[in-house]
mmCIF file of all heavy atoms in Angstrom:
data_model
loop_
_atom_site.group_PDB
_atom_site.id
_atom_site.type_symbol
_atom_site.label_atom_id
_atom_site.label_comp_id
_atom_site.label_asym_id
_atom_site.label_seq_id
_atom_site.Cartn_x
_atom_site.Cartn_y
_atom_site.Cartn_z
ATOM 1 N N HIS A 75 15.790 15.293 22.404
ATOM 2 C CA HIS A 75 14.787 14.277 22.102
ATOM 3 C C HIS A 75 13.423 14.775 22.534
ATOM 4 O O HIS A 75 13.275 15.341 23.612
ATOM 5 C CB HIS A 75 15.114 12.971 22.837
ATOM 6 C CG HIS A 75 13.955 12.009 22.862
ATOM 7 N ND1 HIS A 75 13.364 11.581 24.036
ATOM 8 C CD2 HIS A 75 13.263 11.406 21.859
ATOM 9 C CE1 HIS A 75 12.376 10.758 23.751
ATOM 10 N NE2 HIS A 75 12.293 10.638 22.441
ATOM 11 N N ARG A 76 12.426 14.570 21.659
ATOM 12 C CA ARG A 76 11.045 14.802 22.032
ATOM 13 C C ARG A 76 10.251 13.556 21.657
ATOM 14 O O ARG A 76 10.408 13.024 20.566
ATOM 15 C CB ARG A 76 10.468 16.036 21.325
ATOM 16 C CG ARG A 76 11.166 17.337 21.694
ATOM 17 C CD ARG A 76 10.446 18.547 21.122
ATOM 18 N NE ARG A 76 11.276 19.740 21.202
ATOM 19 C CZ ARG A 76 10.905 20.942 20.769
ATOM 20 N NH1 ARG A 76 9.701 21.110 20.222
ATOM 21 N NH2 ARG A 76 11.729 21.975 20.867
ATOM 22 N N SER A 77 9.421 13.127 22.562
ATOM 23 C CA SER A 77 8.710 11.873 22.384
ATOM 24 C C SER A 77 7.698 11.941 21.239
ATOM 25 O O SER A 77 6.904 12.888 21.146
ATOM 26 C CB SER A 77 7.991 11.500 23.680
ATOM 27 O OG SER A 77 7.305 10.280 23.539
ATOM 28 N N LEU A 78 7.738 10.932 20.385
ATOM 29 C CA LEU A 78 6.784 10.822 19.275
ATOM 30 C C LEU A 78 6.587 9.349 18.956
ATOM 31 O O LEU A 78 7.543 8.629 18.677
ATOM 32 C CB LEU A 78 7.291 11.546 18.027
ATOM 33 C CG LEU A 78 6.451 11.347 16.763
ATOM 34 C CD1 LEU A 78 5.071 11.996 16.924
ATOM 35 C CD2 LEU A 78 7.155 11.905 15.533
ATOM 36 N N ASP A 79 5.326 8.918 18.975
ATOM 37 C CA ASP A 79 4.957 7.557 18.600
ATOM 38 C C ASP A 79 3.992 7.660 17.428
ATOM 39 O O ASP A 79 2.835 8.059 17.595
ATOM 40 C CB ASP A 79 4.299 6.844 19.782
ATOM 41 C CG ASP A 79 3.939 5.398 19.472
ATOM 42 O OD1 ASP A 79 4.061 4.985 18.296
ATOM 43 O OD2 ASP A 79 3.506 4.689 20.405
ATOM 44 N N LEU A 80 4.465 7.311 16.233
ATOM 45 C CA LEU A 80 3.650 7.459 15.026
ATOM 46 C C LEU A 80 2.510 6.448 14.960
ATOM 47 O O LEU A 80 1.648 6.560 14.086
ATOM 48 C CB LEU A 80 4.532 7.341 13.785
ATOM 49 C CG LEU A 80 5.460 8.541 13.542
ATOM 50 C CD1 LEU A 80 6.525 8.190 12.515
ATOM 51 C CD2 LEU A 80 4.675 9.771 13.091
ATOM 52 N N THR A 81 2.478 5.477 15.866
ATOM 53 C CA THR A 81 1.357 4.544 15.898
ATOM 54 C C THR A 81 0.187 5.103 16.699
ATOM 55 O O THR A 81 -0.857 4.450 16.801
ATOM 56 C CB THR A 81 1.761 3.191 16.512
ATOM 57 O OG1 THR A 81 2.040 3.372 17.912
ATOM 58 C CG2 THR A 81 2.978 2.615 15.813
ATOM 59 N N ASP A 82 0.361 6.296 17.239
ATOM 60 C CA ASP A 82 -0.672 6.904 18.088
ATOM 61 C C ASP A 82 -0.849 8.369 17.684
ATOM 62 O O ASP A 82 0.039 9.192 17.919
ATOM 63 C CB ASP A 82 -0.260 6.785 19.559
ATOM 64 C CG ASP A 82 -1.318 7.327 20.517
ATOM 65 O OD1 ASP A 82 -2.357 7.834 20.055
ATOM 66 O OD2 ASP A 82 -1.084 7.256 21.735
ATOM 67 N N LEU A 83 -1.973 8.701 17.089
ATOM 68 C CA LEU A 83 -2.203 10.071 16.627
ATOM 69 C C LEU A 83 -2.239 11.067 17.782
ATOM 70 O O LEU A 83 -1.895 12.243 17.601
ATOM 71 C CB LEU A 83 -3.503 10.138 15.818
ATOM 72 C CG LEU A 83 -3.521 9.304 14.524
ATOM 73 C CD1 LEU A 83 -4.877 9.414 13.836
ATOM 74 C CD2 LEU A 83 -2.404 9.730 13.581
ATOM 75 N N ASP A 84 -2.624 10.605 18.970
ATOM 76 C CA ASP A 84 -2.591 11.503 20.131
ATOM 77 C C ASP A 84 -1.153 11.880 20.476
ATOM 78 O O ASP A 84 -0.882 13.012 20.904
ATOM 79 C CB ASP A 84 -3.266 10.836 21.332
ATOM 80 C CG ASP A 84 -4.773 10.705 21.150
ATOM 81 O OD1 ASP A 84 -5.350 11.496 20.375
ATOM 82 O OD2 ASP A 84 -5.365 9.796 21.767
ATOM 83 N N SER A 85 -0.216 10.941 20.301
ATOM 84 C CA SER A 85 1.193 11.238 20.528
ATOM 85 C C SER A 85 1.702 12.254 19.513
ATOM 86 O O SER A 85 2.506 13.137 19.847
ATOM 87 C CB SER A 85 2.019 9.948 20.446
ATOM 88 O OG SER A 85 3.406 10.226 20.522
ATOM 89 N N VAL A 86 1.241 12.150 18.275
ATOM 90 C CA VAL A 86 1.627 13.121 17.245
ATOM 91 C C VAL A 86 1.154 14.512 17.648
ATOM 92 O O VAL A 86 1.900 15.493 17.539
ATOM 93 C CB VAL A 86 1.033 12.730 15.875
ATOM 94 C CG1 VAL A 86 1.348 13.795 14.830
ATOM 95 C CG2 VAL A 86 1.579 11.378 15.422
ATOM 96 N N ARG A 87 -0.061 14.596 18.131
ATOM 97 C CA ARG A 87 -0.604 15.899 18.550
ATOM 98 C C ARG A 87 0.175 16.456 19.748
ATOM 99 O O ARG A 87 0.454 17.657 19.824
ATOM 100 C CB ARG A 87 -2.082 15.747 18.904
ATOM 101 C CG ARG A 87 -2.964 15.406 17.698
ATOM 102 C CD ARG A 87 -4.445 15.356 18.067
ATOM 103 N NE ARG A 87 -5.239 15.097 16.880
ATOM 104 C CZ ARG A 87 -5.684 13.875 16.509
ATOM 105 N NH1 ARG A 87 -5.395 12.821 17.266
ATOM 106 N NH2 ARG A 87 -6.392 13.735 15.420
ATOM 107 N N GLU A 88 0.534 15.580 20.674
ATOM 108 C CA GLU A 88 1.296 16.020 21.846
ATOM 109 C C GLU A 88 2.676 16.520 21.437
ATOM 110 O O GLU A 88 3.164 17.528 21.950
ATOM 111 C CB GLU A 88 1.420 14.874 22.849
ATOM 112 C CG GLU A 88 2.073 15.283 24.163
ATOM 113 C CD GLU A 88 2.041 14.169 25.191
ATOM 114 O OE1 GLU A 88 1.335 13.168 24.987
ATOM 115 O OE2 GLU A 88 2.748 14.304 26.216
ATOM 116 N N PHE A 89 3.313 15.808 20.496
ATOM 117 C CA PHE A 89 4.621 16.245 20.001
ATOM 118 C C PHE A 89 4.512 17.634 19.378
ATOM 119 O O PHE A 89 5.335 18.524 19.664
ATOM 120 C CB PHE A 89 5.152 15.253 18.973
ATOM 121 C CG PHE A 89 6.436 15.689 18.316
ATOM 122 C CD1 PHE A 89 7.655 15.397 18.899
ATOM 123 C CD2 PHE A 89 6.427 16.391 17.114
ATOM 124 C CE1 PHE A 89 8.848 15.804 18.307
ATOM 125 C CE2 PHE A 89 7.609 16.802 16.516
ATOM 126 C CZ PHE A 89 8.819 16.502 17.108
#
Side-chain angles (χ1 to χ4, degrees):
H75 165 241
R76 297 188 194 180
S77 181
L78 173 67
D79 182 352
L80 288 166
T81 68
D82 183 358
L83 297 178
D84 290 336
S85 174
V86 176
R87 293 184 177 97
E88 186 174 348
F89 175 87

